[in-house]
Amino acid sequence: MKSKKIVKITTGVLVFFTLPSLLFFCFLYFKYNEDLPEGAKGKEADALAYKMLEALNYEAFENTDYLEWTFKRRHLFKWQKNKNTCDVYWKDYKVSLDLNDASQNQAFVHSFKVMDEDLSTELIEKAVKYFNNDSFWLVAPYKVFDKGAERRMVNLENNKKALLVTYTSGGTTPGDSYLWHLDNNGKPIRFQMWVDILPINGLTATWNDWTTTESGAELPTFHKMGVFGLEISHIKGTN
């Protein structure tokens, strides 16, 4: 009898916590899930991409030598952009990444270099994933002409144009696609995502809380994605 009662209580707890989550996921799936739209490559798509870059002062971003930011109050980045190196901090760890030469990467705990090869490799791999993900949420609009990026212009139902960018290589999850929705000046206001790590296709995240760095680059401070928010704080950008 006692074991049956334990099983009953355990089942009840599991149902209590999982059923609302399952229902919420189903709601989001049927409300937001969309197929990847079709678009056309070519001069019009590239022109729309250039318009977005101009609206964000791409030249100022290109001339920015140093970027620093904190992602979701968890990960701190100090990116020496002109040298393509970045120090990544979280918890008690620091990883120094050389984005040109992975053999130069080093991991530290409490300022002491990690000598254990397995632990060092684990921390470095984690730092690379953090950098790829968290820097994308900071500078994604500036990456539309990266190597492996394909651009397509998509006609929306409201007679507006949107820019579909697919990354065929690079990053942590190549093959991801993003549909940029722009204002009349070409500045991003949101994008939709078709990415491997999300179970729902076409989810929207806002790109409308901008700050101008000392170097003149335009960078976001917050993204809203459904009921969730991604805060980017302590942003610094200098020449």
Side-chain angles (χ1 to χ4, degrees):
M1 291 294 292
K2 187 175 181 179
S3 61
K4 289 183 178 180
K5 187 175 182 179
I6 293 174
V7 171
K8 187 176 181 180
I9 292 173
T10 303
T11 303
V13 170
L14 289 173
V15 170
F16 178 80
F17 283 106
T18 59
L19 184 57
S21 298
L22 181 60
L23 292 174
F24 182 63
F25 171 78
C26 290
F27 167 77
L28 291 177
Y29 184 87
F30 288 108
K31 182 176 176 63
Y32 295 109
N33 193 72
E34 296 183 20
D35 292 332
L36 183 68
E38 296 183 357
K41 293 182 181 180
K43 293 182 179 180
E44 288 185 303
D46 287 351
L48 192 59
Y50 282 122
K51 183 177 181 179
M52 180 172 72
L53 291 178
E54 184 177 354
L56 293 174
N57 199 350
Y58 177 73
E59 185 177 352
F61 175 77
E62 277 292 280
N63 293 327
T64 300
D65 292 332
Y66 175 81
L67 281 173
E68 180 177 319
W69 74 99
T70 300
F71 186 76
K72 295 174 64 176
R73 303 183 183 181
R74 298 177 184 173
H75 310 148
L76 169 64
F77 299 87
K78 296 183 178 182
W79 182 15
Q80 200 66 48
K81 184 167 156 286
N82 59 334
K83 297 180 180 178
N84 214 17
T85 61
C86 186
D87 289 334
V88 185
Y89 302 81
W90 74 99
K91 295 181 179 179
D92 298 319
Y93 306 116
K94 169 190 170 183
V95 172
S96 294
L97 295 176
D98 187 322
L99 302 167
N100 294 322
D101 183 0
S103 68
Q104 301 300 313
N105 295 341
Q106 298 182 77
F108 302 85
V109 179
H110 294 296
S111 300
F112 295 99
K113 185 177 178 180
V114 176
M115 304 307 295
D116 181 272
E117 187 174 345
D118 290 339
L119 178 58
S120 179
T121 299
E122 178 185 340
L123 292 172
I124 289 170
E125 288 178 352
K126 186 171 288 188
V128 170
K129 289 180 180 179
Y130 286 161
F131 177 81
N132 287 341
N133 178 77
D134 301 359
S135 66
F136 190 82
W137 283 104
L138 185 74
V139 302
Y142 297 109
K143 297 174 67 64
V144 293
F145 283 97
D146 277 11
K147 183 179 179 180
E150 296 181 349
R151 295 160 299 282
R152 294 175 174 83
M153 191 181 71
V154 175
N155 293 310
L156 304 177
E157 292 180 356
N158 56 8
N159 293 321
K160 290 188 175 183
K161 311 293 184 182
L163 178 66
L164 179 65
V165 181
T166 299
Y167 294 93
T168 61
S169 61
T172 303
T173 55
D176 292 347
S177 295
Y178 304 85
L179 183 66
W180 290 95
H181 297 259
L182 313 174
D183 66 15
N184 292 333
N185 296 317
K187 196 168 187 177
I189 53 179
R190 66 184 183 278
F191 69 16
Q192 291 177 267
M193 299 169 283
W194 285 262
V195 298
D196 281 344
I197 63 173
L198 293 177
I200 298 174
N201 291 323
L203 274 180
T204 296
T206 62
W207 284 73
N208 55 5
D209 290 270
W210 298 90
T211 188
T212 303
T213 65
E214 181 183 327
S215 64
E218 295 280 330
L219 298 172
T221 60
F222 188 82
H223 303 286
K224 185 177 181 182
M225 187 169 57
V227 298
F228 304 103
L230 300 176
E231 180 186 8
I232 304 175
S233 56
H234 307 102
I235 297 174
K236 297 178 184 178
T238 58
N239 297 118

